[in-house]
Amino acid sequence: MRLRDRLAPLWRVRMVGGGCAPVVRQACWFGVVGIGGFVVDAAVLSAIQAMCGDRLYSGQVVAYLVAATATWQMNRTFTFADRRRAGWFREWARYLLVNAWGGGINYAVFAGLISATALCDRYPVLAVAAGSIAGLGFNFTASRSLVFVPKAP
């Protein structure tokens, strides 16, 4: 049994009448995947910081790209598994392009907090968290409607 199938019962949300609410299930999965993306993002930024010094701005760009690739794969496997598939490279490229807007929101919040607050400059993981949360809603809507589209009937 695949991991996705084992975890699926944890995220089923029942509506009145007993039907599963797909958008709520997808939002839950997207949130879980987002937490995974945050962990990847923060870990990569921390590793870059440890290896290269305080290269927070350029390091965050690299960390975001690594995290976005990880979340694409996890969303493809868990969140939108029942949706139509493009070729993996085309879908990955579309995911990165569509989510670049959310990435822009993510980066703007991150950079704003780093430059405006001593706390986030000292603990950049806080700015990473705020940026991740800021881009989440946009990225879910864009991913659901433009990248992982429903299969044709």
Side-chain angles (χ1 to χ4, degrees):
M1 180 180 266
R2 296 184 310 179
L3 178 62
R4 179 176 61 92
D5 297 331
R6 287 186 203 150
L7 295 176
L10 297 174
W11 301 105
R12 287 200 179 107
V13 177
R14 298 287 177 191
M15 294 177 59
V16 176
C20 187
V23 71
V24 175
R25 179 187 54 78
Q26 289 169 346
C28 288
W29 272 113
F30 200 83
V32 169
V33 167
I35 291 167
F38 165 71
V39 170
V40 171
D41 195 334
V44 172
L45 180 61
S46 295
I48 290 170
Q49 194 175 11
M51 290 186 294
C52 303
D54 287 336
R55 301 197 187 278
L56 295 176
Y57 298 102
S58 58
Q60 179 56 21
V61 172
V62 173
Y64 172 77
L65 288 172
V66 173
T69 298
T71 58
W72 161 74
Q73 184 60 52
M74 289 185 281
N75 278 318
R76 185 175 215 256
T77 303
F78 298 106
T79 309
F80 302 110
D82 60 336
R83 299 227 164 181
R84 184 178 48 184
R85 297 265 187 257
W88 73 266
F89 182 80
R90 184 175 173 199
E91 185 180 81
W92 172 79
R94 186 181 304 154
Y95 183 82
L96 290 183
L97 179 64
V98 165
N99 283 270
W101 286 96
I105 293 166
N106 179 324
Y107 189 79
V109 169
F110 168 81
L113 288 172
I114 291 290
S115 64
T117 67
L119 181 65
C120 288
D121 187 51
R122 183 174 171 106
Y123 302 103
V125 71
L126 297 174
V128 170
S132 296
I133 291 166
L136 180 68
F138 179 86
N139 284 344
F140 174 70
T141 303
S143 293
R144 188 171 194 274
S145 60
L146 299 173
V147 178
F148 303 103
V149 296
K151 291 181 180 177

